[in-house]
Amino acid sequence: MAVQSPPQAPRAKSSPDRRPTRIAFSQRLGRWDVKVSPYLYISPFFILFAITGLFPLLYTGYISVHQWHTLGGQGDFVGLENFAAVLDQTSFWKALRNTFSIFLLSSVPQVIAAIIIAAILNANLRAKTFWRMGVLLPYIVAPIAVGLIFGRIFADQYGLANGLLDLLGMGPIRWHSDVIPSHFAIATMVNFRWTGYNTLIFLAAMQAIPSDLYEAAIIDGAGRLRQFFSITIPQLRATIIFVVITSTIGGLQIFDEARAFDTQGTGGADKQWLTLTMYIHELGWGNQLNFGRAAAVAWLLFLIIVVIGIINFFITSKISTSGSRTPKKVKKGVKR
């Protein structure tokens, strides 16, 4: 007996003018939410940066190519004349020398000291919270107060530093007259304020290192010093890059400590500790009242910071990747 399948209903022909299915408004809103919401979340930062960072930067560049008196306002377009005039002044090169000298004397010891203090605070100490909060106290002291205190410590006459040198049988140092001693004194202020801040950054990074690495090193017989150089330092590479770059930006913009080093705030009689930011203040609000030249120095300082920051980034990145290279693969065809 043959079984016949029921006849299939004829397929409805698709009409050419059939309208596509409408996407629900909620689905469309959901798609837009997925696409747009990440940009909305990060937009406040970029909006604030455009207002407080990008616009002043561009406006400073506009001022730098004009003759601009602080009180008289905008003058004629002068092109790069302000840059040429600034580069021809001896004070600019002295300020550049002082800025780099203070930056090197402050940033390098600061990073090294911060790593060592963070390693000590990361150990099993009693009253950990007290010691960890204690290193941050210098950071909350006002820069002017730090300048006044250290100005007395490094006073040429009756200063604490020269008093200690006298007890050791050494002659006094002219902290406010000689170049290098004045830079050392100002760098000491910078290190006093910022070492604790960087210490907490390194301490947070150290606490994120897996404890398995240290346990394996202890089983292998590695001491604390070996653990520090073989585990802690390599695991801190990304943090070291961050701290070095931020220290570079801050170190080249030093103003408060150098300004408060003496009562005049002019960088010394022979510009011994005049920094670039102090020079900008002197051009714009000092005797010259020349906003155009002050803006030109500001732009030169910006370019210097960008160049030094890029050099720092490439050097630290190369150092950080040199120790983490994967071993080369065995070439094909090599007999085992």
Side-chain angles (χ1 to χ4, degrees):
M1 181 178 178
V3 179
Q4 294 181 352
S5 59
Q8 296 181 353
R11 295 180 178 179
K13 295 182 179 179
S14 59
S15 59
D17 57 346
R18 181 182 178 186
R19 293 181 179 180
T21 305
R22 295 184 62 183
I23 301 174
F25 178 74
S26 60
Q27 293 179 341
R28 187 176 299 177
L29 188 63
R31 291 181 182 179
W32 276 99
D33 181 44
V34 172
K35 291 181 180 178
V36 178
S37 58
Y39 299 100
L40 292 177
Y41 294 147
I42 62 174
S43 61
F45 166 77
F46 289 98
I47 293 172
L48 287 176
F49 173 75
I51 297 172
T52 62
L54 185 60
F55 173 72
L57 181 68
L58 298 177
Y59 192 62
T60 304
Y62 177 77
I63 294 175
S64 66
V65 294
H66 286 81
Q67 188 177 5
W68 202 300
H69 192 268
T70 304
L71 300 178
Q74 182 179 357
D76 298 331
F77 176 78
V78 294
L80 299 178
E81 185 178 320
N82 286 327
F83 291 89
V86 164
L87 293 174
D88 196 38
Q89 292 186 4
T90 308
S91 297
F92 171 79
W93 297 106
K94 284 186 177 180
L96 185 64
R97 176 203 63 186
N98 298 338
T99 302
F100 272 98
S101 177
I102 296 172
F103 159 67
L104 292 175
L105 288 173
S106 60
S107 297
V108 177
Q110 185 185 130
V111 173
I112 296 173
I115 293 175
I116 295 173
I117 296 172
I120 295 172
L121 293 177
N122 197 34
N124 291 324
L125 297 175
R126 292 183 178 179
K128 288 182 181 178
T129 306
F130 171 77
W131 297 113
R132 291 174 182 176
M133 294 301 294
V135 297
L136 196 61
L137 286 178
Y139 177 70
I140 62 177
V141 179
I144 296 299
V146 174
L148 293 174
I149 293 170
F150 279 82
R152 300 296 181 272
I153 292 175
F154 292 103
D156 292 341
Q157 297 179 350
Y158 313 113
L160 178 62
N162 278 338
L164 293 175
L165 292 175
D166 186 47
L167 291 176
L168 297 174
M170 302 173 64
I173 296 177
R174 301 189 305 170
W175 300 104
H176 289 78
S177 301
D178 297 334
V179 176
I180 297 300
S182 63
H183 295 178
F184 177 81
I186 296 171
T188 305
M189 299 184 210
V190 178
N191 292 332
F192 173 76
R193 285 198 68 230
W194 290 96
T195 300
Y197 177 82
N198 290 328
T199 297
L200 291 186
I201 295 176
F202 284 123
L203 178 62
M206 286 180 185
Q207 291 181 341
I209 299 175
S211 59
D212 301 346
L213 299 176
Y214 293 103
E215 293 172 1
I218 293 172
I219 293 173
D220 291 340
R224 289 188 176 275
L225 195 62
R226 181 63 184 275
Q227 294 175 32
F228 179 74
F229 284 104
S230 299
I231 298 176
T232 305
I233 295 297
Q235 293 292 322
L236 292 178
R237 284 169 180 158
T239 308
I240 292 174
I241 292 173
F242 170 77
V243 172
V244 167
I245 292 176
T246 53
S247 298
T248 301
I249 296 172
L252 294 176
Q253 295 178 341
I254 182 171
F255 178 81
D256 298 331
E257 291 83 356
R259 171 97 175 155
F261 189 52
D262 68 346
T263 54
Q264 287 78 25
T266 56
D270 194 29
K271 312 297 182 188
Q272 299 97 317
W273 65 88
L274 178 73
T275 61
L276 283 175
T277 49
M278 292 177 66
Y279 186 49
I280 293 172
H281 183 271
E282 180 183 321
L283 287 175
W285 292 270
N287 296 327
Q288 300 190 30
L289 294 177
N290 194 325
F291 246 23
R293 291 184 181 181
V297 178
W299 252 91
L300 289 173
L301 177 60
F302 169 73
L303 295 176
I304 291 170
I305 291 174
V306 170
V307 171
I308 299 298
I310 292 173
I311 293 173
N312 270 343
F313 176 76
F314 279 109
I315 291 176
T316 50
S317 298
K318 189 174 182 180
I319 293 173
S320 64
T321 55
S322 61
S324 60
R325 290 177 179 172
T326 56
K328 295 181 179 178
K329 295 182 179 178
V330 179
K331 293 182 179 179
K332 293 182 178 179
V334 177
K335 296 181 180 179
R336 297 182 178 179

